[in-house]
Structure formats: C-alpha cells, structure tokens
Amino acid sequence: SVALCSRMIARRVRDAQFDDAFLAGLLHDIGIVLFDEHDHDRFRVVLEAVRPDRELHRCERDVFGFDHAELGGTVAEHWRFPRVVAERIRYHHEPGRCLGDARAITLTVALADFLCGQKEIGPVKVKYAPRLSMTLLSELGLGRNDLRVLWKDMDQELAAAGELFRL
C-alpha cells in the first residue's frame, strides 16, 4: 500500500522518479520482516508494546536498541543496494535527516506511510499512525487540498491494485 501511495504522490508532485518512489515504498519496512523472521519472540514483545501514542519504531528502539528503518538501511547497504535506496529505507521515519538526492522520495514515502497509517493499513493491528509534519507537505509542494485529493484517490488506487492481486 505504501508503494502504491508513494508512486501516486510522486506523480501528483510531478516527480519523474515515480518508479523509484514505488520501489522505496515497497522496501521501506523490510526491517520489520527481518525482525520478525530472525527474532520473532522479541518482535512479539515490540508488537505488544505498540499503542496509539507509542509508535512501532519507538517500541523497537526500546527492545532492540534500534528500529526497523535503521536495520533495513544497514541490510540494504550490506546487500549493496544503491546508496539512495538504503537512505530512503533508513530515514523514512525521520525524512528531515535525509539529505541530497534521496530526500524527495524519502519525503514521499514518509507521507505515504502516514496516509496508510491513517487508513489503518500497516504492519501492526494496533491503530497508530506516524506523525505528519506540515513542513514535509510544503517541501513536496503539497497543501491541505492535495492531501484531501490523495486521501480520496488512495481508495481507488488500492482497490484497483487489489483487483490485480485477485487475478
């Protein structure tokens, strides 16, 4: 869902790299898969600690000492992914820390992650959503009306993708 939404946002802001935005959205939570696969028992402790006011990545830091974004970024580097891909994964919860050519798509993924969280589409079954910075919106060249349009268009985009996966 974050991949589809990232591509949709990139198209809205006329970023020609909408395929890169899709890839970043697809990979952004790979650290969650790795935590669950390689340390399932401690990851269950993390999931039990998530609350509406206590985001997943903060609970991961409490249990593991680092979060899924850091893990995913480090693994992406180890797997020799391009630097910008690793940075987009690493900074998707802190897009303000991402500088250079990875920044625009990292901001896009952060916004997509927020929107999906608001729609309760995410890796955990507890209602929570990452926070949204208005600075993030303005840096992408988006306003509140754009956000409303994206919110509405997401349902159609996700439904169309769902039809594809049912084939």
Side-chain angles (χ1 to χ4, degrees), residues 24-71:
L26 192 63
L27 294 174
H28 82 287
D29 275 345
I30 193 156
I32 291 174
V33 175
L34 297 169
F35 274 146
D36 190 36
E37 181 71 26
H38 295 283
D39 202 342
H40 180 73
D41 291 337
R42 284 202 306 161
F43 190 62
R44 285 184 56 200
V45 170
V46 167
L47 294 178
E48 291 168 8
V50 176
R51 303 277 180 269
D53 63 337
R54 190 85 176 126
E55 296 170 308
L56 175 66
H57 66 280
R58 298 189 192 292
C59 295
E60 291 168 340
R61 288 179 189 151
D62 290 345
V63 172
F64 292 106
F66 53 93
D67 65 29
H68 67 270
E70 294 172 77
L71 176 61

Side-chain angles (χ1 to χ4, degrees), residues 39-157:
D39 202 342
H40 180 73
D41 291 337
R42 284 202 306 161
F43 190 62
R44 285 184 56 200
V45 170
V46 167
L47 294 178
E48 291 168 8
V50 176
R51 303 277 180 269
D53 63 337
R54 190 85 176 126
E55 296 170 308
L56 175 66
H57 66 280
R58 298 189 192 292
C59 295
E60 291 168 340
R61 288 179 189 151
D62 290 345
V63 172
F64 292 106
F66 53 93
D67 65 29
H68 67 270
E70 294 172 77
L71 176 61
T74 299
V75 168
E77 287 173 353
H78 180 74
W79 288 344
R80 297 189 187 341
F81 284 14
R83 177 192 50 78
V84 293
V85 172
E87 287 180 7
R88 291 168 183 157
I89 294 168
R90 174 173 281 113
Y91 297 120
H92 74 270
H93 285 295
E94 302 173 298
R97 292 186 54 207
C98 186
L99 305 173
D101 51 354
R103 186 173 175 96
I105 290 179
T106 304
L107 293 167
T108 298
V109 171
L111 177 56
D113 197 30
F114 169 80
L115 291 170
C116 288
Q118 289 296 308
K119 288 191 179 275
E120 297 185 43
I121 302 168
V124 296
K125 299 298 181 204
V126 174
K127 183 178 178 172
Y128 87 96
R131 291 176 182 91
L132 175 66
S133 160
M134 293 311 288
T135 305
L136 177 127
L137 278 180
S138 64
E139 191 168 336
L140 285 170
L142 298 172
R144 290 186 188 276
N145 188 53
D146 296 299
L147 197 57
R148 282 191 278 283
V149 170
L150 288 166
W151 180 262
K152 183 178 144 286
D153 290 351
M154 273 179 69
D155 294 331
Q156 292 174 309
E157 188 82 17

